[in-house]
Amino acid sequence: MKPNIKNIAVLTSGGDAPGMNACIRAVVRTGIYNGVNMFGVMQGYQGLINNNIIPMDARSVSNIIHLGGTILKTARCLEFKTEEGMEIAFNHLKEREIDGLVVIGGDGTFTGAQRFGKKFGIRVMGVPGTIDNDLYGSDFTLGYDTAINTVIEAIDKIRDTADSHDRLFFIEVMGRDSGCIALRSAISSGAEAVLLPERETSLDELINQLEIGAKTKKSSSIVIVSEGHKAGGAYDVAKKVKERFNHYDTKVTILGHLQRGGSPSSFDRILGSRLGYAAVNELLSGNSMQMVGLFGNEIKATSIDEALTGHNFKLESDLLEMTKVLSI
């Protein structure tokens, strides 16, 4: 028997990601279409504790599908990790008779949702919104495609300077535990080398790759460094390489939070819309404690437990091999 859900709230938590607004829009309008009262929680779990919960209608989400960031704002909330904080948050939902919650975010967001849903029995549905693409249960997470496009655009401009001055650029991209952005950016920008958290790449191996390029008269080189690489960040790697390899004038660029911003790509707008639509329909069908994700071209649900503990080997073997073959 399907539950009689009358009120659903949506929040964004953790790091923002392009496409979150498209997802919020889909959540709100899908709920309203099905006769559900919709609410938005400002500043994530902090908003639940502060009782910053606002009613939303179809016009509340007009003209936002193209915007980066999140209109609901986001914040990291240490208080929500405590029993007392969760109790306060639940009471605020209870006051408004909210019986369904859609959370958009990454692993920290889902960890909070997991504990909250199990403790109080509230129906929870997750949407993977993180540029790192590091959650099990979805081939692509919301914001990942836009982040890669942002990185590629920056690298294309940097290469113009690198070619003009015979320079070696080390470009650091986001990815503390996941090299997905670094790997795909390296292939699509024609980088000479890439350093990933998942792989051990020795300094000797990197210098050997650069020496091959120098001997074949490459006018410049681009090395993509994922921020989580074991040898350190781009500055650390560049310093070590400079000590042993002086062919190029060495420069470092940290792209940082630039990768999180900007108007979402068409892919992320569609993905956000599909995931938001699916999340509400899953709740209305009686499902809970799950995450909706993209498998192939289908939207499927995975338990939040599995999304947090599963292993998704997203570094495609052919792409890893191509970084060597195509950089000669």
Side-chain angles (χ1 to χ4, degrees):
M1 183 177 177
K2 293 182 180 180
N4 184 23
I5 295 180
K6 297 180 179 179
N7 304 288
I8 293 176
V10 56
L11 63 81
T12 52
S13 177
D16 61 292
M20 281 185 166
N21 283 324
C23 188
I24 294 167
R25 173 179 178 269
V27 167
V28 170
R29 290 189 172 178
T30 302
I32 291 170
Y33 181 86
N34 286 282
V36 177
N37 299 313
M38 299 302 299
F39 296 84
V41 182
M42 303 299 295
Q43 296 186 311
Y45 293 127
Q46 189 66 57
L48 286 182
I49 292 174
N50 293 344
N51 203 19
N52 195 357
I53 305 171
I54 58 173
M56 301 187 78
D57 59 26
R59 300 288 78 80
S60 300
V61 291
S62 295
N63 300 319
I64 68 168
I65 194 170
H66 63 291
L67 299 177
T70 162
I71 63 164
L72 294 178
K73 310 298 182 184
T74 181
R76 302 191 187 277
C77 181
L78 295 177
E79 189 177 357
F80 190 75
K81 294 181 178 181
T82 67
E83 298 294 320
E84 296 79 7
M86 284 195 295
E87 186 81 39
I88 293 170
F90 176 71
N91 287 334
H92 288 151
L93 290 178
K94 192 175 179 181
E95 288 169 8
R96 288 176 170 77
E97 299 182 341
I98 292 173
D99 38 22
L101 183 64
V102 176
V103 299
I104 308 168
D107 55 358
T109 300
F110 285 1
T111 299
Q114 180 189 51
R115 293 183 59 225
F116 191 57
K118 287 181 177 180
K119 182 175 178 63
F120 296 103
I122 188 167
R123 296 182 182 90
V124 177
M125 193 61 55
V127 175
T130 167
I131 68 169
D132 291 335
N133 202 37
D134 58 354
L135 281 168
Y136 178 81
S138 190
D139 293 339
F140 297 96
T141 57
L142 203 52
Y144 173 57
D145 182 71
T146 305
I148 292 173
N149 289 333
T150 299
V151 171
I152 293 167
E153 183 179 357
I155 294 173
D156 287 347
K157 294 176 179 179
I158 288 170
R159 189 178 285 282
D160 290 342
T161 294
D163 285 343
S164 298
H165 296 274
D166 201 31
R167 285 175 174 166
L168 166 60
F169 267 89
F170 290 87
I171 302 173
E172 184 175 301
V173 301
M174 284 185 167
R176 185 178 63 251
D177 301 309
S178 169
C180 288
I181 290 177
L183 179 58
R184 286 183 173 250
S185 298
I187 294 293
S188 52
S189 65
E192 279 65 38
V194 59
L195 304 181
L196 308 167
E198 298 90 341
R199 298 185 74 196
E200 291 280 357
T201 302
S202 68
L203 191 61
D204 288 337
E205 184 180 348
L206 175 59
I207 290 175
N208 182 59
Q209 285 181 260
L210 296 174
E211 285 178 337
I212 292 172
K215 289 176 182 178
T216 55
K217 298 183 180 180
K218 279 200 171 188
S219 60
S220 66
S221 286
I222 301 288
V223 177
I224 310 296
V225 183
S226 184
E227 64 179 336
H229 187 259
K230 294 176 176 59
Y235 278 110
D236 297 321
V237 175
K239 183 179 179 181
K240 293 172 184 175
V241 170
K242 182 66 175 176
E243 292 171 354
R244 294 173 53 183
F245 188 73
N246 293 314
H247 178 76
Y248 293 115
D249 178 16
T250 302
K251 301 294 181 181
V252 175
T253 298
I254 310 293
L255 295 182
H257 287 79
L258 174 74
Q259 298 156 85
R260 279 193 185 167
S263 182
S265 65
S266 171
F267 181 89
D268 276 326
R269 296 183 196 195
I270 295 169
L271 180 61
S273 299
R274 293 182 74 183
L275 294 178
Y277 170 82
V280 172
N281 285 323
E282 289 288 337
L283 284 174
L284 296 179
S285 297
N287 296 322
S288 179
M289 298 300 291
Q290 293 182 330
M291 181 197 83
V292 289
L294 181 68
F295 277 96
N297 196 35
E298 293 184 29
I299 304 298
K300 297 183 179 180
T302 302
S303 72
I304 289 180
D305 289 347
E306 192 174 4
L308 288 170
T309 59
H311 297 286
N312 218 1
F313 299 100
K314 295 185 177 180
L315 298 186
E316 299 91 334
S317 58
D318 61 329
L319 295 187
L320 290 169
E321 182 64 22
M322 285 165 61
T323 60
K324 295 180 180 180
V325 174
L326 302 185
S327 65
I328 61 173

